[in-house]
PDB file of all heavy atoms in Angstrom:
ATOM      1  N   ILE A 281     -94.862 134.649  35.784  1.00  0.00           N
ATOM      2  CA  ILE A 281     -96.272 134.320  35.476  1.00  0.00           C
ATOM      3  C   ILE A 281     -96.489 133.142  34.538  1.00  0.00           C
ATOM      4  O   ILE A 281     -97.587 132.629  34.429  1.00  0.00           O
ATOM      5  CB  ILE A 281     -96.974 135.578  34.901  1.00  0.00           C
ATOM      6  CG1 ILE A 281     -96.267 136.020  33.533  1.00  0.00           C
ATOM      7  CG2 ILE A 281     -97.018 136.719  35.880  1.00  0.00           C
ATOM      8  CD1 ILE A 281     -96.953 137.176  32.877  1.00  0.00           C
ATOM      9  N   CYS A 282     -95.349 132.727  33.843  1.00  0.00           N
ATOM     10  CA  CYS A 282     -95.508 131.565  32.920  1.00  0.00           C
ATOM     11  C   CYS A 282     -95.332 130.279  33.681  1.00  0.00           C
ATOM     12  O   CYS A 282     -94.413 129.520  33.485  1.00  0.00           O
ATOM     13  CB  CYS A 282     -94.495 131.698  31.821  1.00  0.00           C
ATOM     14  SG  CYS A 282     -94.994 130.749  30.362  1.00  0.00           S
ATOM     15  N   GLU A 283     -96.321 130.010  34.568  1.00  0.00           N
ATOM     16  CA  GLU A 283     -96.357 128.796  35.391  1.00  0.00           C
ATOM     17  C   GLU A 283     -97.711 128.118  35.248  1.00  0.00           C
ATOM     18  O   GLU A 283     -98.715 128.829  35.407  1.00  0.00           O
ATOM     19  CB  GLU A 283     -96.092 129.120  36.861  1.00  0.00           C
ATOM     20  CG  GLU A 283     -94.685 129.413  37.193  1.00  0.00           C
ATOM     21  CD  GLU A 283     -93.853 128.170  37.271  1.00  0.00           C
ATOM     22  OE1 GLU A 283     -94.416 127.051  37.248  1.00  0.00           O
ATOM     23  OE2 GLU A 283     -92.607 128.283  37.304  1.00  0.00           O
ATOM     24  N   PRO A 284     -97.675 126.835  34.925  1.00  0.00           N
ATOM     25  CA  PRO A 284     -96.563 125.908  34.740  1.00  0.00           C
ATOM     26  C   PRO A 284     -95.930 126.146  33.382  1.00  0.00           C
ATOM     27  O   PRO A 284     -96.490 126.809  32.526  1.00  0.00           O
ATOM     28  CB  PRO A 284     -97.223 124.514  34.831  1.00  0.00           C
ATOM     29  CG  PRO A 284     -98.641 124.762  34.347  1.00  0.00           C
ATOM     30  CD  PRO A 284     -99.016 126.129  34.841  1.00  0.00           C
ATOM     31  N   PHE A 285     -94.749 125.526  33.174  1.00  0.00           N
ATOM     32  CA  PHE A 285     -93.980 125.676  31.966  1.00  0.00           C
ATOM     33  C   PHE A 285     -93.687 124.265  31.467  1.00  0.00           C
ATOM     34  O   PHE A 285     -93.424 123.371  32.244  1.00  0.00           O
ATOM     35  CB  PHE A 285     -92.645 126.397  32.269  1.00  0.00           C
ATOM     36  CG  PHE A 285     -91.953 126.958  31.089  1.00  0.00           C
ATOM     37  CD1 PHE A 285     -92.495 127.962  30.330  1.00  0.00           C
ATOM     38  CD2 PHE A 285     -90.807 126.371  30.572  1.00  0.00           C
ATOM     39  CE1 PHE A 285     -91.871 128.484  29.204  1.00  0.00           C
ATOM     40  CE2 PHE A 285     -90.140 126.854  29.491  1.00  0.00           C
ATOM     41  CZ  PHE A 285     -90.658 127.939  28.795  1.00  0.00           C
ATOM     42  N   PRO A 286     -93.722 124.083  30.094  1.00  0.00           N
ATOM     43  CA  PRO A 286     -93.512 122.741  29.554  1.00  0.00           C
ATOM     44  C   PRO A 286     -92.134 122.171  29.943  1.00  0.00           C
ATOM     45  O   PRO A 286     -91.120 122.857  29.824  1.00  0.00           O
ATOM     46  CB  PRO A 286     -93.621 122.949  28.055  1.00  0.00           C
ATOM     47  CG  PRO A 286     -93.468 124.444  27.860  1.00  0.00           C
ATOM     48  CD  PRO A 286     -93.998 125.094  29.074  1.00  0.00           C
ATOM     49  N   GLU A 287     -92.131 120.922  30.369  1.00  0.00           N
ATOM     50  CA  GLU A 287     -90.913 120.323  30.923  1.00  0.00           C
ATOM     51  C   GLU A 287     -89.801 120.160  29.844  1.00  0.00           C
ATOM     52  O   GLU A 287     -88.637 120.122  30.153  1.00  0.00           O
ATOM     53  CB  GLU A 287     -91.184 119.009  31.608  1.00  0.00           C
ATOM     54  CG  GLU A 287     -91.765 117.896  30.656  1.00  0.00           C
ATOM     55  CD  GLU A 287     -92.007 116.648  31.397  1.00  0.00           C
ATOM     56  OE1 GLU A 287     -91.911 116.626  32.596  1.00  0.00           O
ATOM     57  OE2 GLU A 287     -92.267 115.639  30.692  1.00  0.00           O
ATOM     58  N   ASP A 288     -90.157 120.059  28.580  1.00  0.00           N
ATOM     59  CA  ASP A 288     -89.163 119.892  27.537  1.00  0.00           C
ATOM     60  C   ASP A 288     -88.301 121.127  27.395  1.00  0.00           C
ATOM     61  O   ASP A 288     -87.219 121.074  26.799  1.00  0.00           O
ATOM     62  CB  ASP A 288     -89.857 119.584  26.226  1.00  0.00           C
ATOM     63  CG  ASP A 288     -90.339 118.160  26.128  1.00  0.00           C
ATOM     64  OD1 ASP A 288     -89.989 117.375  27.010  1.00  0.00           O
ATOM     65  OD2 ASP A 288     -91.053 117.844  25.179  1.00  0.00           O
ATOM     66  N   PHE A 289     -88.794 122.269  27.897  1.00  0.00           N
ATOM     67  CA  PHE A 289     -87.972 123.493  27.851  1.00  0.00           C
ATOM     68  C   PHE A 289     -87.576 123.978  29.204  1.00  0.00           C
ATOM     69  O   PHE A 289     -87.027 125.085  29.397  1.00  0.00           O
ATOM     70  CB  PHE A 289     -88.868 124.578  27.188  1.00  0.00           C
ATOM     71  CG  PHE A 289     -89.246 124.260  25.772  1.00  0.00           C
ATOM     72  CD1 PHE A 289     -90.369 123.530  25.494  1.00  0.00           C
ATOM     73  CD2 PHE A 289     -88.471 124.658  24.699  1.00  0.00           C
ATOM     74  CE1 PHE A 289     -90.787 123.232  24.214  1.00  0.00           C
ATOM     75  CE2 PHE A 289     -88.820 124.356  23.411  1.00  0.00           C
ATOM     76  CZ  PHE A 289     -89.962 123.598  23.159  1.00  0.00           C
ATOM     77  N   ASP A 290     -87.772 123.122  30.196  1.00  0.00           N
ATOM     78  CA  ASP A 290     -87.434 123.427  31.584  1.00  0.00           C
ATOM     79  C   ASP A 290     -86.079 122.868  31.902  1.00  0.00           C
ATOM     80  O   ASP A 290     -85.597 122.010  31.183  1.00  0.00           O
ATOM     81  CB  ASP A 290     -88.483 122.950  32.580  1.00  0.00           C
ATOM     82  CG  ASP A 290     -88.647 123.871  33.783  1.00  0.00           C
ATOM     83  OD1 ASP A 290     -87.716 124.666  33.978  1.00  0.00           O
ATOM     84  OD2 ASP A 290     -89.636 123.707  34.470  1.00  0.00           O
ATOM     85  N   GLY A 291     -85.497 123.392  32.929  1.00  0.00           N
ATOM     86  CA  GLY A 291     -84.122 122.877  33.325  1.00  0.00           C
ATOM     87  C   GLY A 291     -83.497 123.859  34.319  1.00  0.00           C
ATOM     88  O   GLY A 291     -84.229 124.678  34.937  1.00  0.00           O
ATOM     89  N   PRO A 292     -82.209 123.839  34.531  1.00  0.00           N
ATOM     90  CA  PRO A 292     -81.554 124.811  35.361  1.00  0.00           C
ATOM     91  C   PRO A 292     -81.837 126.244  34.954  1.00  0.00           C
ATOM     92  O   PRO A 292     -82.011 127.109  35.805  1.00  0.00           O
ATOM     93  CB  PRO A 292     -80.039 124.485  35.173  1.00  0.00           C
ATOM     94  CG  PRO A 292     -79.984 123.083  34.789  1.00  0.00           C
ATOM     95  CD  PRO A 292     -81.202 122.856  33.936  1.00  0.00           C
ATOM     96  N   GLU A 293     -81.968 126.487  33.663  1.00  0.00           N
ATOM     97  CA  GLU A 293     -82.447 127.755  33.120  1.00  0.00           C
ATOM     98  C   GLU A 293     -83.471 127.445  32.023  1.00  0.00           C
ATOM     99  O   GLU A 293     -83.184 126.698  31.110  1.00  0.00           O
ATOM    100  CB  GLU A 293     -81.235 128.528  32.515  1.00  0.00           C
ATOM    101  CG  GLU A 293     -80.253 129.038  33.574  1.00  0.00           C
ATOM    102  CD  GLU A 293     -79.181 129.889  32.940  1.00  0.00           C
ATOM    103  OE1 GLU A 293     -79.324 130.261  31.752  1.00  0.00           O
ATOM    104  OE2 GLU A 293     -78.217 130.251  33.664  1.00  0.00           O
ATOM    105  N   ARG A 294     -84.572 128.102  32.156  1.00  0.00           N
ATOM    106  CA  ARG A 294     -85.656 127.837  31.231  1.00  0.00           C
ATOM    107  C   ARG A 294     -85.330 128.385  29.856  1.00  0.00           C
ATOM    108  O   ARG A 294     -84.805 129.469  29.704  1.00  0.00           O
ATOM    109  CB  ARG A 294     -86.939 128.465  31.728  1.00  0.00           C
ATOM    110  CG  ARG A 294     -87.562 127.743  32.891  1.00  0.00           C
ATOM    111  CD  ARG A 294     -88.891 128.358  33.271  1.00  0.00           C
ATOM    112  NE  ARG A 294     -89.614 127.537  34.214  1.00  0.00           N
ATOM    113  CZ  ARG A 294     -90.748 127.817  34.732  1.00  0.00           C
ATOM    114  NH1 ARG A 294     -91.310 128.927  34.449  1.00  0.00           N
ATOM    115  NH2 ARG A 294     -91.330 127.021  35.631  1.00  0.00           N
ATOM    116  N   ASN A 295     -85.681 127.549  28.838  1.00  0.00           N
ATOM    117  CA  ASN A 295     -85.337 127.946  27.499  1.00  0.00           C
ATOM    118  C   ASN A 295     -86.588 128.657  26.878  1.00  0.00           C
ATOM    119  O   ASN A 295     -87.294 128.077  26.028  1.00  0.00           O
ATOM    120  CB  ASN A 295     -85.000 126.654  26.652  1.00  0.00           C
ATOM    121  CG  ASN A 295     -84.318 127.019  25.375  1.00  0.00           C
ATOM    122  OD1 ASN A 295     -84.308 128.161  24.908  1.00  0.00           O
ATOM    123  ND2 ASN A 295     -83.700 126.009  24.749  1.00  0.00           N
ATOM    124  N   TYR A 296     -86.743 129.911  27.250  1.00  0.00           N
ATOM    125  CA  TYR A 296     -87.868 130.666  26.766  1.00  0.00           C
ATOM    126  C   TYR A 296     -87.715 130.977  25.265  1.00  0.00           C
ATOM    127  O   TYR A 296     -88.740 130.962  24.535  1.00  0.00           O
ATOM    128  CB  TYR A 296     -87.992 132.019  27.500  1.00  0.00           C
ATOM    129  CG  TYR A 296     -88.412 131.904  28.955  1.00  0.00           C
ATOM    130  CD1 TYR A 296     -87.478 132.122  29.970  1.00  0.00           C
ATOM    131  CD2 TYR A 296     -89.679 131.484  29.292  1.00  0.00           C
ATOM    132  CE1 TYR A 296     -87.857 132.028  31.307  1.00  0.00           C
ATOM    133  CE2 TYR A 296     -90.088 131.392  30.613  1.00  0.00           C
ATOM    134  CZ  TYR A 296     -89.144 131.618  31.665  1.00  0.00           C
ATOM    135  OH  TYR A 296     -89.484 131.480  32.953  1.00  0.00           O
ATOM    136  N   ASP A 297     -86.556 131.246  24.797  1.00  0.00           N
ATOM    137  CA  ASP A 297     -86.341 131.618  23.397  1.00  0.00           C
ATOM    138  C   ASP A 297     -86.803 130.558  22.420  1.00  0.00           C
ATOM    139  O   ASP A 297     -87.462 130.824  21.418  1.00  0.00           O
ATOM    140  CB  ASP A 297     -84.843 131.961  23.139  1.00  0.00           C
ATOM    141  CG  ASP A 297     -84.414 133.172  23.894  1.00  0.00           C
ATOM    142  OD1 ASP A 297     -85.311 133.984  24.253  1.00  0.00           O
ATOM    143  OD2 ASP A 297     -83.196 133.335  24.172  1.00  0.00           O
ATOM    144  N   ASP A 298     -86.407 129.284  22.710  1.00  0.00           N
ATOM    145  CA  ASP A 298     -86.892 128.216  21.795  1.00  0.00           C
ATOM    146  C   ASP A 298     -88.373 128.044  21.846  1.00  0.00           C
ATOM    147  O   ASP A 298     -88.988 127.762  20.814  1.00  0.00           O
ATOM    148  CB  ASP A 298     -86.155 126.905  22.231  1.00  0.00           C
ATOM    149  CG  ASP A 298     -84.750 126.827  21.722  1.00  0.00           C
ATOM    150  OD1 ASP A 298     -84.331 127.779  21.030  1.00  0.00           O
ATOM    151  OD2 ASP A 298     -84.089 125.775  21.971  1.00  0.00           O
ATOM    152  N   ALA A 299     -88.984 128.176  23.055  1.00  0.00           N
ATOM    153  CA  ALA A 299     -90.426 128.062  23.175  1.00  0.00           C
ATOM    154  C   ALA A 299     -91.094 129.156  22.374  1.00  0.00           C
ATOM    155  O   ALA A 299     -92.129 128.883  21.687  1.00  0.00           O
ATOM    156  CB  ALA A 299     -90.825 128.172  24.626  1.00  0.00           C
ATOM    157  N   VAL A 300     -90.547 130.374  22.387  1.00  0.00           N
ATOM    158  CA  VAL A 300     -91.082 131.472  21.585  1.00  0.00           C
ATOM    159  C   VAL A 300     -91.027 131.175  20.096  1.00  0.00           C
ATOM    160  O   VAL A 300     -91.969 131.419  19.339  1.00  0.00           O
ATOM    161  CB  VAL A 300     -90.372 132.802  21.940  1.00  0.00           C
ATOM    162  CG1 VAL A 300     -90.746 133.930  20.906  1.00  0.00           C
ATOM    163  CG2 VAL A 300     -90.727 133.257  23.320  1.00  0.00           C
ATOM    164  N   LEU A 301     -89.891 130.617  19.658  1.00  0.00           N
ATOM    165  CA  LEU A 301     -89.697 130.362  18.228  1.00  0.00           C
ATOM    166  C   LEU A 301     -90.704 129.296  17.738  1.00  0.00           C
ATOM    167  O   LEU A 301     -91.297 129.418  16.692  1.00  0.00           O
ATOM    168  CB  LEU A 301     -88.248 129.822  18.003  1.00  0.00           C
ATOM    169  CG  LEU A 301     -87.141 130.894  18.015  1.00  0.00           C
ATOM    170  CD1 LEU A 301     -85.786 130.266  17.925  1.00  0.00           C
ATOM    171  CD2 LEU A 301     -87.349 131.966  16.910  1.00  0.00           C
ATOM    172  N   TYR A 302     -90.876 128.179  18.555  1.00  0.00           N
ATOM    173  CA  TYR A 302     -91.794 127.175  18.133  1.00  0.00           C
ATOM    174  C   TYR A 302     -93.249 127.643  18.142  1.00  0.00           C
ATOM    175  O   TYR A 302     -93.987 127.357  17.193  1.00  0.00           O
ATOM    176  CB  TYR A 302     -91.665 125.965  19.075  1.00  0.00           C
ATOM    177  CG  TYR A 302     -90.436 125.154  18.844  1.00  0.00           C
ATOM    178  CD1 TYR A 302     -89.572 124.806  19.911  1.00  0.00           C
ATOM    179  CD2 TYR A 302     -90.125 124.662  17.622  1.00  0.00           C
ATOM    180  CE1 TYR A 302     -88.446 124.019  19.758  1.00  0.00           C
ATOM    181  CE2 TYR A 302     -88.936 123.877  17.405  1.00  0.00           C
ATOM    182  CZ  TYR A 302     -88.105 123.565  18.450  1.00  0.00           C
ATOM    183  OH  TYR A 302     -87.019 122.825  18.227  1.00  0.00           O
ATOM    184  N   VAL A 303     -93.621 128.439  19.193  1.00  0.00           N
ATOM    185  CA  VAL A 303     -94.973 128.902  19.244  1.00  0.00           C
ATOM    186  C   VAL A 303     -95.252 129.890  18.113  1.00  0.00           C
ATOM    187  O   VAL A 303     -96.340 129.853  17.502  1.00  0.00           O
ATOM    188  CB  VAL A 303     -95.229 129.614  20.590  1.00  0.00           C
ATOM    189  CG1 VAL A 303     -96.530 130.395  20.563  1.00  0.00           C
ATOM    190  CG2 VAL A 303     -95.285 128.563  21.735  1.00  0.00           C
ATOM    191  N   SER A 304     -94.265 130.718  17.757  1.00  0.00           N
ATOM    192  CA  SER A 304     -94.432 131.669  16.643  1.00  0.00           C
ATOM    193  C   SER A 304     -94.598 130.984  15.325  1.00  0.00           C
ATOM    194  O   SER A 304     -95.151 131.513  14.373  1.00  0.00           O
ATOM    195  CB  SER A 304     -93.238 132.626  16.609  1.00  0.00           C
ATOM    196  OG  SER A 304     -93.162 133.352  17.808  1.00  0.00           O
ATOM    197  N   SER A 305     -94.060 129.750  15.177  1.00  0.00           N
ATOM    198  CA  SER A 305     -94.088 129.004  13.928  1.00  0.00           C
ATOM    199  C   SER A 305     -95.433 128.220  13.769  1.00  0.00           C
ATOM    200  O   SER A 305     -95.650 127.712  12.701  1.00  0.00           O
ATOM    201  CB  SER A 305     -92.935 128.028  13.858  1.00  0.00           C
ATOM    202  OG  SER A 305     -93.041 127.013  14.774  1.00  0.00           O
ATOM    203  N   PHE A 306     -96.166 128.137  14.857  1.00  0.00           N
ATOM    204  CA  PHE A 306     -97.470 127.357  14.740  1.00  0.00           C
ATOM    205  C   PHE A 306     -98.420 128.063  13.788  1.00  0.00           C
ATOM    206  O   PHE A 306     -98.576 129.273  13.815  1.00  0.00           O
ATOM    207  CB  PHE A 306     -98.137 127.263  16.119  1.00  0.00           C
ATOM    208  CG  PHE A 306     -97.480 126.285  17.060  1.00  0.00           C
ATOM    209  CD1 PHE A 306     -97.653 126.402  18.451  1.00  0.00           C
ATOM    210  CD2 PHE A 306     -96.638 125.275  16.629  1.00  0.00           C
ATOM    211  CE1 PHE A 306     -97.022 125.558  19.334  1.00  0.00           C
ATOM    212  CE2 PHE A 306     -96.053 124.422  17.485  1.00  0.00           C
ATOM    213  CZ  PHE A 306     -96.214 124.538  18.860  1.00  0.00           C
ATOM    214  N   PRO A 307     -99.081 127.294  12.921  1.00  0.00           N
ATOM    215  CA  PRO A 307    -100.151 127.881  12.133  1.00  0.00           C
ATOM    216  C   PRO A 307    -101.338 128.188  13.024  1.00  0.00           C
ATOM    217  O   PRO A 307    -101.376 127.810  14.213  1.00  0.00           O
ATOM    218  CB  PRO A 307    -100.478 126.740  11.135  1.00  0.00           C
ATOM    219  CG  PRO A 307    -100.104 125.499  11.825  1.00  0.00           C
ATOM    220  CD  PRO A 307     -98.943 125.866  12.688  1.00  0.00           C
ATOM    221  N   PRO A 308    -102.354 128.938  12.506  1.00  0.00           N
ATOM    222  CA  PRO A 308    -103.565 129.178  13.286  1.00  0.00           C
ATOM    223  C   PRO A 308    -104.159 127.887  13.828  1.00  0.00           C
ATOM    224  O   PRO A 308    -104.113 126.845  13.134  1.00  0.00           O
ATOM    225  CB  PRO A 308    -104.522 129.828  12.297  1.00  0.00           C
ATOM    226  CG  PRO A 308    -103.579 130.496  11.296  1.00  0.00           C
ATOM    227  CD  PRO A 308    -102.387 129.601  11.186  1.00  0.00           C
ATOM    228  N   THR A 309    -104.688 127.880  15.058  1.00  0.00           N
ATOM    229  CA  THR A 309    -105.135 126.730  15.683  1.00  0.00           C
ATOM    230  C   THR A 309    -106.143 125.930  14.868  1.00  0.00           C
ATOM    231  O   THR A 309    -106.067 124.667  14.803  1.00  0.00           O
ATOM    232  CB  THR A 309    -105.776 127.044  17.030  1.00  0.00           C
ATOM    233  OG1 THR A 309    -104.863 127.917  17.788  1.00  0.00           O
ATOM    234  CG2 THR A 309    -106.058 125.824  17.877  1.00  0.00           C
ATOM    235  N   LYS A 310    -106.998 126.604  14.130  1.00  0.00           N
ATOM    236  CA  LYS A 310    -108.004 125.957  13.357  1.00  0.00           C
ATOM    237  C   LYS A 310    -107.488 125.163  12.197  1.00  0.00           C
ATOM    238  O   LYS A 310    -108.146 124.253  11.641  1.00  0.00           O
ATOM    239  CB  LYS A 310    -109.082 126.976  12.861  1.00  0.00           C
ATOM    240  CG  LYS A 310    -108.459 128.101  12.007  1.00  0.00           C
ATOM    241  CD  LYS A 310    -109.504 129.150  11.649  1.00  0.00           C
ATOM    242  CE  LYS A 310    -108.908 130.298  10.876  1.00  0.00           C
ATOM    243  NZ  LYS A 310    -109.893 131.372  10.615  1.00  0.00           N
ATOM    244  N   SER A 311    -106.235 125.486  11.736  1.00  0.00           N
ATOM    245  CA  SER A 311    -105.639 124.729  10.623  1.00  0.00           C
ATOM    246  C   SER A 311    -104.442 123.906  11.089  1.00  0.00           C
ATOM    247  O   SER A 311    -103.688 123.394  10.199  1.00  0.00           O
ATOM    248  CB  SER A 311    -105.256 125.752   9.522  1.00  0.00           C
ATOM    249  OG  SER A 311    -104.324 126.685  10.021  1.00  0.00           O
ATOM    250  N   CYS A 312    -104.222 123.775  12.399  1.00  0.00           N
ATOM    251  CA  CYS A 312    -103.090 122.992  12.872  1.00  0.00           C
ATOM    252  C   CYS A 312    -103.229 121.533  12.533  1.00  0.00           C
ATOM    253  O   CYS A 312    -102.198 120.825  12.394  1.00  0.00           O
ATOM    254  CB  CYS A 312    -102.994 123.120  14.392  1.00  0.00           C
ATOM    255  SG  CYS A 312    -101.851 124.439  14.955  1.00  0.00           S
TER     256      CYS A 312
END
Side-chain angles (χ1 to χ4, degrees):
I281 61 177
C282 201
E283 282 286 348
F285 195 69
E287 63 178 11
D288 284 350
F289 299 87
D290 213 343
E293 292 186 9
R294 285 185 171 178
N295 196 346
Y296 292 110
D297 294 336
D298 281 0
V300 168
L301 287 174
Y302 285 128
V303 167
S304 301
S305 68
F306 286 158
T309 309
K310 57 186 177 183
S311 59
C312 266

